Amino acid sequence: MWLIIGLVAGAAVLGLVLWMRGKDISVKWYEWLIGALGLALLLFTIQNFAGSLAELESTAANMFLLVSGLPAVILLAVSWQLVARRQRAG
Amino acid sequence: MSKFHSTVTRRDFKKGIGQVGAGLGAAAATAPVFHDLDEVMAQSNADPQYRPWWIKERDFEDPTTEIDWQLSHRADRTKPFQNAAGYTSSRFSGTTSLEPTAALLAKLDALPTPVSPQIRDALATWPMAQWDFVKKKFPEWEGNTVRDYAMEAASASLAFYNFHAYGGYRNYNAATHKSSSFTGLETANTPEGLGFAKWQGTPEENLKMVRGAMRTFGCEEVAVVEVTTNTIKLVNAKNTSGKPINFKSVDKATDVGSEYVIPNKCKYMIIYTNLQPTYLTQRCPAQVGLSANKNSYTRMPVQRVQLQEFLRGLGYQGLQVDGLTQSCSWSVLGGIGEHGREAMNVVSPFYGANYRGIQRMLTDLPLAPTKPIDAGVASFCLTCKKCADNCPYSAFSTGDPEWEHWLEEERTADNVIDGHVYKGWRLSNYRCPRCQACQGVCVFTKIPDSGIHNIVRAMSSTTSIFNGFFRQMDDFFGYGTKEPESWWDMKSQPVWGIEPRYWTSI
């Protein structure tokens, strides 16, 4: 499972980078950092959500979605919006 | 300037370098430090005594619990020792009523040797304490059912089965010849009998070999502690019947009417573990959960016979000393886990408080001793107290480790075994009926699927500053006791009751 997730995530990031180069979109180092943190937190959430379900801990699984999944989505959204708004302004 | 690269000013670059450096410094505070390639290579399941980087080894005879070896002495088990266990099962009281108190007390009062007033008082509240505890957590629970009682009774039916009273497998011993559990059934062929030389191997090879055999017999971990002038004090001086246990310079161990004789050369104590059924332990103290430890007690006699015969087949002696020693002390010294607030259960960094019946066997097969560990468990217990908070019988200390029992009634009666020689925690023997609720709620009792568990273990092993937060999160995330009836609704109960991922994660 994690091999597939890694391949998908790697392909998605590569695709994103190539697409941004094509559109002449620049990304600051801190925008990369926020996005990477968001992606790492998303992967952490997926692993622990699936692991908690395997442990038959449904409450813990839902808590992971809330406690780490939501911040992951927020970080990814912040990273995206920082880039997008700078592009619109610039 | 190429349009493919964003420009970074010198100021931004230096700010970035500084921030990366700060991040690396913070990460290094919790990162493993490998001093050489051997340490890196040891971090794998190939190591006979697997230790991830966050488990530190301590010196022999120096566990995380302070011991006064000078004060320690071999225990005389003929001293009366009162505990609530054994009087609390439905098989004793003979009733399944929700309020069996009157029937239980009537049975207690009819015993030829009366129980102590302290136990009687504690047991007077036992049935309702179990009901109240579970009902408060799960209001929809309707109480123990007939299948719960049947499960517990079935699990207990062969617990502690005495193979030696019945002549053993295939009746190599005549029906009237009862073998000794101390020296074993003696059914395996010795090397001489097969025309082989006695097995010879290095202590490390022998430990790996014994571990392989015991894993096959159903034991997760094997530790070894050498009998020294200190550790010999953890072998009782007399058993509960008053039979002396004597070490002598002889070749063969004997169990005659007057004494147990242990050859001095039988100086390697093998400590081997036995997990309780995973999901049943989470249902304690309800009746179906009480079958958890009984299932382990059923496997234990088989494993001890198998180990004894394996050693005999190698050409060595295996002396079953479960009744002549206590489990937790040897387990802690051998690195199975640490002494924690659970007191009567050693707490493993891998399995939490889910071990049951960690057995001991002396042998003259040379074995490499294993060291005590520091995995941050004892320090976690200082602030956690989840076991104490979830005890229906108020049997736990909520304070710090002490040299004496925290309860005056236990101190006054000296109702302890060697109770003054270590600075630790103790349970109330009068109050604890072995309901196992504490084992299911221990923060370290976790099934190894979510990655967060090893992160918590690694962090708590390195620093204690997050321990209080981890305890709160353990509650917030819903870990702990589960609704009893839901065990029967599981899609698939694991074979032997033990989550198989426990066995493949180490």
Side-chain angles (χ1 to χ4, degrees):
Chain A
M1 182 181 94
W2 283 101
L3 174 64
I4 295 170
I5 290 175
L7 286 172
V8 168
V13 169
L14 181 61
L16 182 67
V17 169
L18 291 175
W19 176 77
M20 287 194 298
R21 281 186 182 178
K23 294 280 183 182
D24 201 24
I25 296 172
S26 66
V27 182
K28 298 278 191 189
W29 69 268
Y30 52 83
E31 290 160 351
W32 279 119
L33 184 61
I34 293 169
L37 283 173
L39 180 62
L41 208 51
L42 184 67
L43 295 175
F44 173 86
T45 301
I46 292 171
Q47 198 282 323
N48 281 283
F49 176 76
S52 296
L53 290 181
E55 293 172 3
L56 306 180
E57 298 280 357
S58 54
T59 303
N62 293 333
M63 285 298 146
F64 274 113
L65 291 180
L66 179 68
V67 168
S68 60
L70 196 53
V73 168
I74 290 171
L75 283 174
L76 288 170
V78 163
S79 175
W80 163 47
Q81 281 298 303
L82 283 173
V83 173
R85 290 178 190 214
R86 187 161 45 75
Q87 284 298 122
R88 278 201 292 273
Chain B
M1 178 72 69
S2 166
K3 288 184 180 177
F4 285 107
H5 302 285
S6 58
T7 55
V8 177
T9 65
R10 186 173 304 195
R11 185 167 178 270
D12 284 346
F13 179 77
K14 286 185 178 175
K15 199 194 313 184
I17 292 290
Q19 288 171 339
V20 167
L24 281 173
T30 56
V33 177
F34 299 113
H35 297 99
D36 54 38
L37 212 55
D38 285 339
E39 280 190 32
V40 177
M41 295 303 290
Q43 305 304 309
S44 76
N45 288 7
D47 191 317
Q49 195 70 20
Y50 174 61
R51 294 272 182 263
W53 65 267
W54 45 268
I55 293 182
K56 303 161 199 76
E57 285 191 335
R58 295 173 63 90
D59 286 336
F60 292 117
E61 300 177 12
D62 181 35
T64 49
T65 300
E66 197 175 341
I67 300 173
D68 186 341
W69 287 109
Q70 297 303 315
L71 199 59
S72 184
H73 58 277
R74 297 180 63 190
D76 179 358
R77 290 303 308 273
T78 51
K79 183 173 77 101
F81 176 70
Q82 295 258 354
N83 69 87
Y87 300 111
T88 55
S89 77
S90 62
R91 285 175 288 113
F92 176 78
S93 67
T95 175
T96 63
S97 166
L98 286 178
E99 292 194 34
T101 305
L104 176 62
L105 291 178
K107 272 225 160 184
L108 287 174
D109 292 338
L111 287 173
T113 304
V115 297
S116 71
Q118 293 91 336
I119 289 183
R120 195 183 185 283
D121 289 344
L123 292 177
T125 64
W126 168 68
M128 295 315 295
Q130 179 204 52
W131 168 265
D132 289 343
F133 177 88
V134 182
K135 198 70 176 164
K136 192 185 291 186
K137 284 182 181 285
F138 308 104
E140 72 282 3
W141 180 59
E142 293 176 354
N144 300 315
T145 64
V146 65
R147 61 182 179 176
D148 297 332
Y149 284 99
M151 183 68 184
E152 195 253 340
S155 302
S157 55
L158 289 176
F160 298 116
Y161 187 71
N162 185 350
F163 290 102
H164 306 278
Y166 301 101
Y169 176 61
R170 290 190 283 179
N171 291 321
Y172 279 132
N173 298 316
T176 55
H177 174 72
K178 293 182 175 53
S179 58
S180 161
S181 63
F182 178 64
T183 49
L185 290 177
E186 299 184 39
T187 59
N189 283 310
T190 61
E192 294 79 13
L194 292 174
F196 283 110
K198 187 174 171 175
W199 169 264
Q200 300 291 343
T202 67
E204 291 75 17
E205 288 170 346
N206 291 340
L207 174 58
K208 188 176 192 309
M209 172 182 67
V210 169
R211 187 169 187 264
M214 297 316 293
R215 293 271 290 184
T216 306
F217 301 151
C219 302
E220 298 76 20
E221 293 184 85
V222 172
V224 174
V225 176
E226 192 168 338
V227 177
T228 64
T229 50
N230 280 336
T231 62
I232 196 172
K233 297 170 186 175
L234 302 175
V235 179
N236 299 335
K238 294 180 185 176
N239 72 354
T240 51
S241 303
K243 191 164 165 180
I245 303 149
N246 296 321
F247 286 81
K248 294 183 178 178
S249 295
V250 297
D251 186 53
K252 294 287 282 182
T254 53
D255 173 13
V256 297
S258 57
E259 63 174 351
Y260 293 103
V261 174
I262 300 174
N264 289 329
K265 65 177 181 176
C266 290
K267 60 177 184 176
Y268 303 99
M269 184 72 84
I270 304 173
I271 301 115
Y272 48 112
T273 68
N274 203 326
L275 275 176
Q276 291 195 177
T278 316
Y279 301 102
L280 281 172
T281 305
Q282 293 173 334
R283 269 76 184 174
C284 292
Q287 202 67 20
V288 70
L290 296 183
S291 66
N293 67 352
K294 314 288 191 314
N295 276 283
S296 293
Y297 290 142
T298 303
R299 294 196 300 273
M300 285 161 55
V302 176
Q303 291 155 354
R304 81 172 60 123
V305 168
Q306 288 177 311
L307 175 56
Q308 263 179 322
E309 296 308 303
F310 180 63
L311 291 167
R312 175 181 165 85
L314 295 172
Y316 294 88
Q317 299 178 69
L319 309 178
Q320 197 273 103
V321 294
D322 288 337
L324 313 183
T325 58
Q326 284 67 245
S327 67
C328 289
S329 46
W330 291 98
S331 309
V332 167
L333 290 175
I336 296 293
E338 294 179 60
H339 168 76
R341 194 175 296 275
E342 292 264 351
M344 276 195 270
N345 287 309
V346 67
V347 182
S348 160
F350 298 120
Y351 305 112
N354 232 10
Y355 272 140
R356 169 58 56 186
I358 299 178
Q359 302 183 88
R360 287 82 62 207
M361 187 167 297
L362 276 173
T363 183
D364 51 347
L365 171 71
L367 291 163
T370 53
K371 291 181 173 178
I373 60 170
D374 181 355
V377 171
S379 66
F380 195 93
C381 286
L382 285 171
T383 48
C384 175
K385 305 180 189 179
K386 188 157 182 173
C387 50
D389 293 341
N390 282 274
C391 175
Y393 309 100
S394 303
F396 279 80
S397 162
T398 54
D400 288 344
E402 297 178 80
W403 287 99
E404 301 291 336
H405 203 293
W406 59 284
L407 272 179
E408 186 184 346
E409 59 185 3
E410 302 254 1
R411 283 200 307 274
T412 305
D414 196 24
N415 193 39
V416 291
I417 301 170
D418 212 17
H420 320 285
V421 302
Y422 68 95
K423 189 178 180 184
W425 290 280
R426 294 159 179 84
L427 293 185
S428 167
N429 293 303
Y430 289 130
R431 300 177 193 173
C432 173
R434 310 324 191 239
C435 81
Q436 308 157 65
C438 54
Q439 293 178 252
V441 302
C442 177
V443 172
F444 286 90
T445 305
K446 293 291 184 290
I447 298 163
D449 284 303
S450 294
I452 191 68
H453 303 316
N454 273 342
I455 293 174
V456 169
R457 288 172 181 143
M459 290 182 72
S460 62
S461 159
T462 308
T463 174
S464 60
I465 60 175
F466 300 109
N467 287 353
F469 171 72
F470 289 149
R471 160 64 206 277
Q472 288 176 348
M473 288 297 104
D474 203 74
D475 292 340
F476 186 63
F477 275 60
Y479 293 112
T481 311
K482 298 292 181 279
E483 201 276 338
E485 197 64 15
S486 64
W487 183 80
W488 294 103
D489 298 330
M490 284 179 65
K491 192 190 289 189
S492 174
Q493 287 83 352
V495 175
W496 290 114
I498 297 171
E499 175 49 61
R501 291 189 292 284
Y502 268 142
W503 290 334
T504 54
S505 65
I506 294 184

